[in-house]
């Protein structure tokens, strides 16, 4: 009869297996690594980090993750508040900001349109984006929305949906998309910083 892990260990393995990149074997290895006597400090650090993560929430303006009502970017008075860049994820936002080429603010979607995954406009946050644009026009002199979705079929569909939404509701508002340096099929998160900077500089109208 095969040895079964205790309920507590089995629960830890299941929790790790639910994480991206972990299968049953890698989750089991990680679980026993954390339980080893020499890993007790690492386990304690992980426990404290998870406790802290319970206080993380969405920024009221851009929907990135932060501990306060507004994130560091939205609170930064030096940012150009007339520019909003729409990204698919927090990872994309971080990659763009690391390129030091974007002077404005962000809006973070919950992915991209994908009917097969039941990810429609409401699921990815497009109604909230419309509210953010209205607020920007009213309070910040918003003059341009930059679409920074990936050059994948779903990213393209999201970009064209945004283009249609903006042009229909705010015909005088400029809308552009990142261009040069982003190969077809590649996600922004995995693009080198120089290519991202070039794509920001050479963004094109939609």
């Amino acid at each position: 009869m095969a040895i079964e892990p205790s309920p507590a260990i089995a629960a830890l393995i299941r929790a790790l297996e639910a994480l991206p990149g972990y299968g049953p074997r890698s989750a089991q290895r990680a679980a026993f690594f954390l339980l080893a006597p020499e890993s007790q400090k690492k386990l304690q650090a992980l426990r404290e980090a998870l406790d802290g993560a319970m206080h993380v929430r969405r920024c009221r303006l851009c929907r990135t993750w932060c501990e306060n009502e507004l994130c560091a970017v939205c609170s930064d008075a030096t940012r150009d508040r007339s520019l909003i860049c729409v990204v698919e994820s927090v990872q994309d936002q971080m990659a763009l900001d690391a390129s030091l080429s974007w002077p404005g603010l962000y809006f973070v979607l919950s992915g991209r349109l994908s009917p097969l995954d039941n990810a429609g406009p409401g699921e990815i946050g497009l109604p909230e984006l419309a509210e953010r644009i209205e607020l920007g026009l009213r309070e910040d002199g918003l003059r341009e929305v930059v679409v920074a979705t990936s050059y994948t079929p779903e990213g393209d569909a999201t970009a064209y949906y945004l283009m249609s939404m903006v042009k229909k509701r705010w015909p005088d508002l400029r809308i552009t998309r990142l261009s040069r340096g982003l190969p077809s099929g590649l996600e922004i998160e995995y693009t080198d910083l120089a290519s991202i900077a070039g794509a920001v500089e050479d963004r094109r109208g939609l």
Side-chain angles (χ1 to χ4, degrees), residues 88-157:
E88 294 178 6
S89 67
V90 175
Q91 296 96 309
D92 287 350
Q93 178 198 22
M94 293 174 67
L96 273 166
D97 220 53
S99 74
L100 302 178
S101 59
W102 179 246
L105 303 178
Y106 296 94
F107 186 88
V108 181
L109 298 173
S110 298
R112 51 203 172 201
L113 293 174
S114 179
L116 292 177
D117 298 319
N118 295 316
E123 285 72 26
I124 69 170
L126 293 183
E128 291 87 349
L129 173 59
E131 294 176 2
R132 178 67 184 92
I133 290 174
E134 288 282 6
L135 180 66
L137 289 169
R138 187 170 63 249
E139 297 186 1
D140 299 318
L142 180 63
R143 58 185 174 86
E144 182 180 353
V145 173
V146 178
V147 180
T149 54
S150 56
Y151 279 90
T152 62
E154 295 85 359
D156 287 339

Side-chain angles (χ1 to χ4, degrees), residues 34-129:
L34 290 171
L35 291 170
E38 62 271 20
S39 297
Q40 288 306 298
K41 288 185 178 180
K42 295 183 178 67
L43 184 60
Q44 180 61 29
L46 178 60
R47 182 183 296 115
E48 292 173 0
L50 290 172
D51 287 341
M54 298 298 292
H55 302 288
V56 172
R57 56 182 174 175
R58 292 280 192 182
C59 171
R60 177 171 58 83
L61 291 181
C62 74
R63 289 173 27 110
T64 195
W65 295 113
C66 62
E67 285 96 296
N68 301 309
E69 185 180 10
L70 294 179
C71 68
V73 172
C74 289
S75 302
D76 188 348
T78 67
R79 291 277 180 160
D80 187 343
R81 310 192 76 80
S82 70
L83 303 172
I84 292 179
C85 183
V86 182
V87 296
E88 294 178 6
S89 67
V90 175
Q91 296 96 309
D92 287 350
Q93 178 198 22
M94 293 174 67
L96 273 166
D97 220 53
S99 74
L100 302 178
S101 59
W102 179 246
L105 303 178
Y106 296 94
F107 186 88
V108 181
L109 298 173
S110 298
R112 51 203 172 201
L113 293 174
S114 179
L116 292 177
D117 298 319
N118 295 316
E123 285 72 26
I124 69 170
L126 293 183
E128 291 87 349
L129 173 59

Side-chain angles (χ1 to χ4, degrees), residues 7 21 64 141 153 157 172-173 177 179 185:
T64 195
D172 296 328
L173 180 60
R177 189 179 185 191
S179 56

Side-chain angles (χ1 to χ4, degrees), residues 164-183:
S164 177
M165 180 182 79
V166 169
K167 289 189 173 181
K168 182 177 180 180
R169 299 181 64 171
W170 309 281
D172 296 328
L173 180 60
R174 186 182 186 212
I175 181 167
T176 57
R177 189 179 185 191
L178 300 192
S179 56
R180 180 175 64 84
L182 295 184

Side-chain angles (χ1 to χ4, degrees), residues 184-206:
S184 177
L186 189 65
E187 300 194 22
I188 292 171
E189 177 186 353
Y190 304 109
T191 305
D192 66 275
L193 300 183
S195 295
I196 293 174
V200 170
E201 183 67 24
D202 292 345
R203 60 187 183 272
R204 57 183 174 82
L206 289 175

